[in-house]
């Protein structure tokens, strides 16, 4: 918190910090998003974590084989290896280059932000379109709503999702209701709020939370959580261009640990459409964001230890409004469902999905729906590994479901 105060309050009005502050920002960024997912150790010979994931499209051939990119007409074009931070930067660059009404702002955004997601944008597009704000999340959200109401494409950054709560009233009572209170005469559909979220291994109470379920309870909003660089670019462009106010939560541990061959052309990926990453016949496993890599490893362990079993792995991507149809179709086939997310289990988004699927698929279910989530405690520091819904906890939940 001290570093955050120092960075935000000491930046000069022009948006260019003193050299020492720039170096502090870079160090702060690296400490919260490591380039290597070194905390994850092999389990019985199976390489774990993002670094070894088969979900990432690391080669040009893998990128060109992606059906969604093919449908967008960008799979055969140029691509570049990008991490998630760079892909988000590229999405904002495309937005600013093609939309003269677009502005990007937030705490420390003008010199690149603490995670460097907006680096270079102020130099390219000017400080009237890329600018810093005071340290006031309520003010950032309120200003963004005003900009969107006046016809601008407003891309606001909340420096950490943990600090979005002072802005909750503006988001839930103003942005979400703006269209409805005016009978669609006015709207703030040009509003997108980006926020780095989720655990990083050492963030403690105030730099590790996943608050998406709070906003998934608010009609009028859309809520998106990407899992990879290709997804982040396409979903962020879709969120910015969607005619509804959208919250875009970015798992910050993936900023530098996940890299893919990302198309350099402009493209969008569908909101409110889940993606089946792995077909299976025996159990459906659902998650979103960084949790997908723990789920991938859990599925690999189950299929290794239970020969003949196959697991269907689904990334929701958008959790409001979410794609219940794809999940229900999978559960109608498998008869079992395991849902996982980092946020606490009690009243978490997994409870909503479990209730919806129970209503739709009750007569087809072969076992109780399993939820694998963070513990119902404030996010711990030294005990974070006990809190997290890791691959082992998910593995145990899948086995319980299969052996019920």
């Amino acid at each position: 918190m001290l570093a955050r105060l120092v960075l935000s309050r000491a930046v000069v009005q022009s948006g260019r910090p003193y050299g020492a502050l720039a170096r502090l920002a870079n160090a702060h960024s690296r400490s919260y998003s490591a380039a290597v997912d070194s905390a994850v150790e092999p389990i019985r010979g199976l390489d774990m974590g993002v670094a070894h994931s088969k979900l990432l499209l690391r080669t040009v051939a893998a990128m060109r084989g992606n059906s969604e990119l093919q449908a967008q007409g960008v799979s055969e074009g140029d691509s570049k290896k990008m991490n998630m931070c760079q892909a988000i930067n590229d999405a904002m660059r495309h937005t600013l280059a093609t939309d003269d009404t677009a502005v990007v702002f937030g705490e420390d955004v003008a010199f690149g932000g603490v995670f460097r997601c907006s680096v270079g944008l102020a130099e390219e597009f000017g400080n009237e379109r890329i600018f810093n704000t005071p340290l006031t999340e309520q003010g950032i959200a309120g200003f963004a709503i005003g900009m969107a109401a006046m016809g601008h494409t407003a891309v606001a950054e909340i420096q950490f999702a943990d600090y979005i709560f002072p802005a909750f009233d503006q988001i839930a009572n103003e942005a979400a209701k703006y269209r409805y209170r005016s009978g669609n005469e006015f709207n703030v559909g040009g509003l997108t709020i980006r926020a780095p979220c989720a655990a990083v291994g050492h963030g403690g109470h105030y730099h590790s939370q996943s608050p998406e379920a709070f906003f998934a309870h608010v009609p009028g909003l859309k809520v998106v959580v990407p899992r990879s660089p290709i997804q982040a670019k396409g979903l962020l462009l879709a969120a910015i261009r969607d005619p509804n106010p959208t919250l875009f939560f970015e798992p910050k541990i993936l900023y530098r640990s996940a890299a893919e061959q990302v198309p350099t052309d402009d493209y969008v990926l569908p909101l409110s459409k889940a993606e089946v990453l792995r077909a299976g016949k025996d159990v459906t496993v659902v998650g979103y964001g960084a949790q997908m890599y723990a789920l991938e490893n859990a599925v690999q362990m189950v299929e290794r230890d239970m020969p003949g079993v196959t697991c269907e792995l689904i990334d929701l991507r958008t959790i409001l409004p979410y794609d219940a149809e794809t999940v229900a179709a999978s559960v109608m086939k498998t008869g079992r469902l395991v849902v996982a997310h980092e946020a606490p289990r009690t009243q978490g988004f997994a409870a909503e999905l479990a209730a919806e699927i129970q209503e739709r698929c009750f007569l087809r279910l072969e076992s109780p729906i399993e939820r694998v989530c963070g513990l119902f405690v404030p996010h711990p520091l030294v005990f974070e590994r006990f809190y997290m819904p890791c691959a082992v906890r998910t593995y145990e939940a899948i086995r319980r479901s299969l052996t019920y």
Side-chain angles (χ1 to χ4, degrees), residues 381-393:
L381 181 59
V382 295
F383 296 119
E384 181 174 284
R385 286 201 179 191
F386 297 97
Y387 170 93
M388 293 292 289
C390 63
V392 172
R393 285 179 56 197

Side-chain angles (χ1 to χ4, degrees), residues 252-301:
K252 55 187 173 289
I253 198 171
L254 300 180
Y255 276 149
R256 287 166 178 76
S257 63
E260 293 183 301
Q261 283 290 330
V262 180
T264 56
D265 290 335
D266 191 317
Y267 66 93
V268 297
L269 294 175
L271 302 182
S272 299
K273 179 63 180 174
E275 183 179 9
V276 179
L277 300 175
R278 222 181 138 122
K281 61 178 175 53
D282 297 298
V283 59
T284 301
V285 182
V286 179
Y288 50 86
Q291 188 63 28
M292 297 310 301
Y293 302 100
L295 300 188
E296 178 192 24
N297 292 149
V299 164
Q300 290 168 338
M301 289 191 291

Side-chain angles (χ1 to χ4, degrees), residues 114-149:
V114 294
F115 293 108
R116 320 308 289 158
C117 286
S118 56
V119 70
L121 297 182
E123 289 78 3
E124 185 173 351
F125 297 100
N127 58 18
E128 290 187 353
R129 300 182 68 194
I130 317 295
F131 51 89
N132 295 328
T133 67
L135 196 156
T136 166
E137 286 77 15
Q138 184 178 23
I140 293 169
F143 182 78
I145 291 166
M147 291 286 284

